[in-house]
Amino acid sequence: MKTLFLIPFALFLFTNCNDALVDNKDHGMAVVAEKDLAIENVEVLKKELTLNQIEGKWYYKNAPFSGYSLVFYPNDTLAEKIGFINGKREGIARKWSEKGVLRVESYYKHNRLNSVYKTWWDNGALSAQSNYVDGIKQGFEKEWYPNGQLAKERQLVNGSENGLQKAWLENGKLYVNYEAKNGRIFGMRRANSCYKLEDEKVIRDKKI
């Protein structure tokens, strides 16, 4: 099962049109250490699991699954490993590229994303980092270019922009800088404008 984890940053869209090589340090977000969870040392192929959508649980041989689900690429390289307890995703989850590079690392609590969510470029550089609380983004969200240059920094409350929002060109030049508050946007970019980055040039979306 092949999965496309990230889209190239050649075309960068900075939302909200309708409404107005770094290390793994804590970039202003809560980092939760991997905990010793009681996940059984059992591994099965994910395709052998069945999701009961009413219960929100994954079953293996008619019983809620506890252990790890695995997905492999056609070349037998590990693509994904996710932990389960009593049929629900729990603990750390990881995804790799076909070349074996870690691309996504996240944490689950009772089937919902919780704590730090990270993605990496294929060259091993950190691509994005955000924080989830009970399945909803909270706090700082950051994105980087493949060369390690910071591309975007957002502040979120309950999944919505709140506070300073910034974005940079790959050469480090700031091109978006505004504050979101109570559903309104104040600053360098007005709420009724939409800007995108193409070949490091800021252009206004002609559809607006």
Side-chain angles (χ1 to χ4, degrees), residues 1 8 19 36 53 81 85 100 111 114 119-120 125 142 183 196 200 207:
M1 177 177 135
D19 300 322
D36 294 328
Q53 295 184 345
K81 183 175 181 178
I85 294 179
N111 227 26
N114 201 63
T119 62
W120 287 266
K142 294 190 177 186
K196 62 184 179 179
E200 291 203 4
K207 296 179 181 180

PDB file of all heavy atoms in Angstrom, residues 1 8 19 36 53 81 85 100 111 114 119-120 125 142 183 196 200 207:
ATOM      1  N   MET A   1       0.829  -1.169   0.000  1.00  0.00           N
ATOM      2  CA  MET A   1       0.000   0.000   0.000  1.00  0.00           C
ATOM      3  C   MET A   1       0.878   1.237   0.000  1.00  0.00           C
ATOM      4  O   MET A   1       1.605   1.496   0.927  1.00  0.00           O
ATOM      5  CB  MET A   1      -0.876   0.001   1.247  1.00  0.00           C
ATOM      6  CG  MET A   1      -1.740   1.235   1.397  1.00  0.00           C
ATOM      7  SD  MET A   1      -2.771   1.033   2.841  1.00  0.00           S
ATOM      8  CE  MET A   1      -2.546   2.624   3.534  1.00  0.00           C
ATOM      9  N   PRO A   8       5.048  18.442  -2.463  1.00  0.00           N
ATOM     10  CA  PRO A   8       6.178  19.355  -2.559  1.00  0.00           C
ATOM     11  C   PRO A   8       5.749  20.774  -2.267  1.00  0.00           C
ATOM     12  O   PRO A   8       4.621  21.156  -2.527  1.00  0.00           O
ATOM     13  CB  PRO A   8       6.645  19.194  -4.018  1.00  0.00           C
ATOM     14  CG  PRO A   8       6.128  17.864  -4.405  1.00  0.00           C
ATOM     15  CD  PRO A   8       4.862  17.654  -3.638  1.00  0.00           C
ATOM     16  N   ASP A  19     -12.478  33.801   5.057  1.00  0.00           N
ATOM     17  CA  ASP A  19     -12.640  34.570   6.282  1.00  0.00           C
ATOM     18  C   ASP A  19     -11.499  35.537   6.432  1.00  0.00           C
ATOM     19  O   ASP A  19     -11.473  36.495   7.060  1.00  0.00           O
ATOM     20  CB  ASP A  19     -12.655  33.649   7.510  1.00  0.00           C
ATOM     21  CG  ASP A  19     -13.782  32.664   7.432  1.00  0.00           C
ATOM     22  OD1 ASP A  19     -14.831  33.083   6.963  1.00  0.00           O
ATOM     23  OD2 ASP A  19     -13.594  31.505   7.823  1.00  0.00           O
ATOM     24  N   ASP A  36       5.284   3.998  28.515  1.00  0.00           N
ATOM     25  CA  ASP A  36       5.223   2.547  28.525  1.00  0.00           C
ATOM     26  C   ASP A  36       3.758   2.124  28.563  1.00  0.00           C
ATOM     27  O   ASP A  36       3.143   2.048  29.634  1.00  0.00           O
ATOM     28  CB  ASP A  36       5.975   1.975  29.733  1.00  0.00           C
ATOM     29  CG  ASP A  36       7.455   2.242  29.641  1.00  0.00           C
ATOM     30  OD1 ASP A  36       7.970   2.272  28.504  1.00  0.00           O
ATOM     31  OD2 ASP A  36       8.093   2.425  30.692  1.00  0.00           O
ATOM     32  N   GLN A  53     -17.291   0.497  12.330  1.00  0.00           N
ATOM     33  CA  GLN A  53     -17.469   1.944  12.327  1.00  0.00           C
ATOM     34  C   GLN A  53     -18.422   2.421  13.411  1.00  0.00           C
ATOM     35  O   GLN A  53     -18.313   3.549  13.883  1.00  0.00           O
ATOM     36  CB  GLN A  53     -17.961   2.389  10.950  1.00  0.00           C
ATOM     37  CG  GLN A  53     -16.940   2.156   9.846  1.00  0.00           C
ATOM     38  CD  GLN A  53     -17.391   2.695   8.509  1.00  0.00           C
ATOM     39  OE1 GLN A  53     -18.555   3.008   8.320  1.00  0.00           O
ATOM     40  NE2 GLN A  53     -16.459   2.798   7.572  1.00  0.00           N
ATOM     41  N   LYS A  81       3.505   1.499  11.065  1.00  0.00           N
ATOM     42  CA  LYS A  81       3.348   0.693  12.272  1.00  0.00           C
ATOM     43  C   LYS A  81       2.535   1.491  13.285  1.00  0.00           C
ATOM     44  O   LYS A  81       2.914   2.587  13.678  1.00  0.00           O
ATOM     45  CB  LYS A  81       4.699   0.320  12.878  1.00  0.00           C
ATOM     46  CG  LYS A  81       4.590  -0.585  14.105  1.00  0.00           C
ATOM     47  CD  LYS A  81       5.973  -1.032  14.601  1.00  0.00           C
ATOM     48  CE  LYS A  81       5.843  -1.964  15.805  1.00  0.00           C
ATOM     49  NZ  LYS A  81       7.172  -2.448  16.281  1.00  0.00           N
ATOM     50  N   ILE A  85      -4.899  -0.839  21.422  1.00  0.00           N
ATOM     51  CA  ILE A  85      -5.298  -1.454  22.685  1.00  0.00           C
ATOM     52  C   ILE A  85      -6.809  -1.597  22.666  1.00  0.00           C
ATOM     53  O   ILE A  85      -7.534  -0.606  22.492  1.00  0.00           O
ATOM     54  CB  ILE A  85      -4.865  -0.622  23.903  1.00  0.00           C
ATOM     55  CG1 ILE A  85      -3.339  -0.587  24.011  1.00  0.00           C
ATOM     56  CG2 ILE A  85      -5.456  -1.203  25.191  1.00  0.00           C
ATOM     57  CD1 ILE A  85      -2.822   0.243  25.183  1.00  0.00           C
ATOM     58  N   GLY A 100      12.771   3.947   3.371  1.00  0.00           N
ATOM     59  CA  GLY A 100      13.023   3.694   4.780  1.00  0.00           C
ATOM     60  C   GLY A 100      13.224   4.929   5.627  1.00  0.00           C
ATOM     61  O   GLY A 100      13.634   4.831   6.785  1.00  0.00           O
ATOM     62  N   ASN A 111      -7.855   6.377  20.412  1.00  0.00           N
ATOM     63  CA  ASN A 111      -8.221   6.474  18.988  1.00  0.00           C
ATOM     64  C   ASN A 111      -8.147   7.891  18.412  1.00  0.00           C
ATOM     65  O   ASN A 111      -8.524   8.102  17.263  1.00  0.00           O
ATOM     66  CB  ASN A 111      -9.626   5.914  18.750  1.00  0.00           C
ATOM     67  CG  ASN A 111      -9.667   4.973  17.556  1.00  0.00           C
ATOM     68  OD1 ASN A 111      -8.671   4.367  17.189  1.00  0.00           O
ATOM     69  ND2 ASN A 111     -10.822   4.831  16.949  1.00  0.00           N
ATOM     70  N   ASN A 114      -3.139  12.803  19.764  1.00  0.00           N
ATOM     71  CA  ASN A 114      -2.865  13.506  21.011  1.00  0.00           C
ATOM     72  C   ASN A 114      -1.363  13.742  21.111  1.00  0.00           C
ATOM     73  O   ASN A 114      -0.577  12.868  20.805  1.00  0.00           O
ATOM     74  CB  ASN A 114      -3.343  12.669  22.207  1.00  0.00           C
ATOM     75  CG  ASN A 114      -3.564  13.513  23.443  1.00  0.00           C
ATOM     76  OD1 ASN A 114      -4.414  14.402  23.459  1.00  0.00           O
ATOM     77  ND2 ASN A 114      -2.804  13.242  24.488  1.00  0.00           N
ATOM     78  N   THR A 119       6.238  15.580  10.808  1.00  0.00           N
ATOM     79  CA  THR A 119       6.491  15.010   9.490  1.00  0.00           C
ATOM     80  C   THR A 119       7.875  15.441   9.034  1.00  0.00           C
ATOM     81  O   THR A 119       8.389  16.489   9.471  1.00  0.00           O
ATOM     82  CB  THR A 119       5.451  15.465   8.440  1.00  0.00           C
ATOM     83  OG1 THR A 119       5.519  16.897   8.285  1.00  0.00           O
ATOM     84  CG2 THR A 119       4.042  15.066   8.868  1.00  0.00           C
ATOM     85  N   TRP A 120       8.497  14.641   8.172  1.00  0.00           N
ATOM     86  CA  TRP A 120       9.846  14.912   7.673  1.00  0.00           C
ATOM     87  C   TRP A 120       9.871  14.862   6.161  1.00  0.00           C
ATOM     88  O   TRP A 120       9.089  14.139   5.520  1.00  0.00           O
ATOM     89  CB  TRP A 120      10.838  13.881   8.212  1.00  0.00           C
ATOM     90  CG  TRP A 120      11.172  14.023   9.653  1.00  0.00           C
ATOM     91  CD1 TRP A 120      12.230  14.695  10.204  1.00  0.00           C
ATOM     92  CD2 TRP A 120      10.456  13.479  10.778  1.00  0.00           C
ATOM     93  NE1 TRP A 120      12.221  14.605  11.577  1.00  0.00           N
ATOM     94  CE2 TRP A 120      11.145  13.865  11.957  1.00  0.00           C
ATOM     95  CE3 TRP A 120       9.300  12.688  10.898  1.00  0.00           C
ATOM     96  CZ2 TRP A 120      10.699  13.500  13.220  1.00  0.00           C
ATOM     97  CZ3 TRP A 120       8.857  12.336  12.155  1.00  0.00           C
ATOM     98  CH2 TRP A 120       9.552  12.730  13.301  1.00  0.00           C
ATOM     99  N   ALA A 125      15.029  16.081   6.813  1.00  0.00           N
ATOM    100  CA  ALA A 125      14.794  17.359   7.489  1.00  0.00           C
ATOM    101  C   ALA A 125      13.358  17.431   7.976  1.00  0.00           C
ATOM    102  O   ALA A 125      12.433  16.953   7.317  1.00  0.00           O
ATOM    103  CB  ALA A 125      15.085  18.518   6.540  1.00  0.00           C
ATOM    104  N   LYS A 142       4.215  24.614  12.992  1.00  0.00           N
ATOM    105  CA  LYS A 142       5.302  25.146  12.174  1.00  0.00           C
ATOM    106  C   LYS A 142       5.575  24.240  10.972  1.00  0.00           C
ATOM    107  O   LYS A 142       5.381  23.031  11.044  1.00  0.00           O
ATOM    108  CB  LYS A 142       6.582  25.296  13.004  1.00  0.00           C
ATOM    109  CG  LYS A 142       6.480  26.338  14.105  1.00  0.00           C
ATOM    110  CD  LYS A 142       7.834  26.622  14.750  1.00  0.00           C
ATOM    111  CE  LYS A 142       7.724  27.717  15.789  1.00  0.00           C
ATOM    112  NZ  LYS A 142       9.048  28.110  16.338  1.00  0.00           N
ATOM    113  N   GLY A 183     -12.090  35.519  15.019  1.00  0.00           N
ATOM    114  CA  GLY A 183     -12.557  35.316  13.655  1.00  0.00           C
ATOM    115  C   GLY A 183     -12.169  36.407  12.674  1.00  0.00           C
ATOM    116  O   GLY A 183     -12.556  36.362  11.507  1.00  0.00           O
ATOM    117  N   LYS A 196      -0.695  33.536  -2.561  1.00  0.00           N
ATOM    118  CA  LYS A 196       0.002  32.264  -2.663  1.00  0.00           C
ATOM    119  C   LYS A 196       1.435  32.504  -3.117  1.00  0.00           C
ATOM    120  O   LYS A 196       1.757  33.539  -3.706  1.00  0.00           O
ATOM    121  CB  LYS A 196      -0.709  31.315  -3.624  1.00  0.00           C
ATOM    122  CG  LYS A 196      -0.803  31.808  -5.074  1.00  0.00           C
ATOM    123  CD  LYS A 196      -1.617  30.815  -5.902  1.00  0.00           C
ATOM    124  CE  LYS A 196      -1.741  31.285  -7.343  1.00  0.00           C
ATOM    125  NZ  LYS A 196      -2.511  30.336  -8.164  1.00  0.00           N
ATOM    126  N   GLU A 200       8.708  31.698  -5.376  1.00  0.00           N
ATOM    127  CA  GLU A 200       9.138  32.722  -4.420  1.00  0.00           C
ATOM    128  C   GLU A 200       8.616  34.118  -4.752  1.00  0.00           C
ATOM    129  O   GLU A 200       9.192  35.120  -4.360  1.00  0.00           O
ATOM    130  CB  GLU A 200      10.660  32.746  -4.287  1.00  0.00           C
ATOM    131  CG  GLU A 200      11.218  31.517  -3.614  1.00  0.00           C
ATOM    132  CD  GLU A 200      12.569  31.750  -2.995  1.00  0.00           C
ATOM    133  OE1 GLU A 200      13.060  32.892  -3.022  1.00  0.00           O
ATOM    134  OE2 GLU A 200      13.146  30.787  -2.468  1.00  0.00           O
ATOM    135  N   LYS A 207      -8.855  34.414  -8.609  1.00  0.00           N
ATOM    136  CA  LYS A 207     -10.234  33.953  -8.418  1.00  0.00           C
ATOM    137  C   LYS A 207     -10.977  34.793  -7.402  1.00  0.00           C
ATOM    138  O   LYS A 207     -12.193  34.725  -7.296  1.00  0.00           O
ATOM    139  CB  LYS A 207     -10.230  32.482  -7.954  1.00  0.00           C
ATOM    140  CG  LYS A 207      -9.652  31.539  -8.997  1.00  0.00           C
ATOM    141  CD  LYS A 207      -9.661  30.116  -8.483  1.00  0.00           C
ATOM    142  CE  LYS A 207      -9.052  29.147  -9.496  1.00  0.00           C
ATOM    143  NZ  LYS A 207      -9.043  27.754  -9.004  1.00  0.00           N
TER     144      LYS A 207
END
